[in-house]
Amino acid sequence: QVQLVESGGGSVQSGGSLRLSCAVSGHPTNFYCMAWFRQAPGKEREGVAGIASDGTITIADSMKGRFTISQDNAENILYLEMNSLKPEDTALYYCAASHLSMSGASVLRREMYGYWGRGTQVTVSS
């Protein structure tokens, strides 16, 4: 009954910004970790940013300084703020949640997550 629904994707020009949202509903709604992943055509799904069990945030190296992740626990919403977007950021962005306890870079590993949204498309033009 757990459902994750992403929103906020769209088409922007290089250098622009977008804010993605992930609404979580159903049971259980409390997770140890939540994260954002993305997948471009012909590429493997990769970790973008995640929040560990203790609240520690990890952002992929190529996105540090440009992307930030946050969550509204009261409303069960996960956010991804993307700034200084580049064409290479074009991808389908997914929200993921896990009941597993994780720390550090583990939050960016696909196999750690059992709940996924269907994705929201982000397209960056030059």
Side-chain angles (χ1 to χ4, degrees):
Q1 294 183 321
V2 173
Q3 185 175 24
L4 282 63
V5 181
E6 303 94 337
S7 63
S11 181
V12 299
Q13 293 185 348
S14 181
S17 301
L18 282 175
R19 187 192 194 195
L20 306 184
S21 299
C22 172
V24 182
S25 63
H27 293 285
T29 55
N30 290 329
F31 299 96
Y32 279 107
C33 304
M34 293 193 72
W36 287 95
F37 290 79
R38 70 184 186 184
Q39 187 167 21
K43 301 291 184 179
E44 292 287 330
R45 189 171 300 186
E46 64 175 342
V48 174
I51 303 177
S53 308
D54 63 356
T56 301
I57 293 173
T58 297
I59 300 175
D61 290 341
S62 64
M63 287 155 267
K64 288 181 179 178
R66 298 191 300 121
F67 292 8
T68 59
I69 186 172
S70 62
Q71 62 184 31
D72 183 336
N73 291 323
E75 299 294 332
N76 289 324
I77 301 175
L78 183 72
Y79 299 100
L80 179 67
E81 295 184 2
M82 305 182 291
N83 302 305
S84 300
L85 285 164
K86 307 173 182 179
E88 51 262 45
D89 292 319
T90 295
L92 189 63
Y93 284 71
Y94 297 90
C95 173
S98 176
H99 291 300
L100 299 176
S101 178
M102 290 179 272
S103 63
S106 293
V107 299
L108 300 184
R109 297 177 62 181
R110 294 177 297 164
E111 65 269 26
M112 303 300 288
Y113 295 86
Y115 301 93
W116 295 86
R118 294 183 179 180
T120 184
Q121 180 68 37
V122 172
T123 301
V124 185
S125 62
S126 59

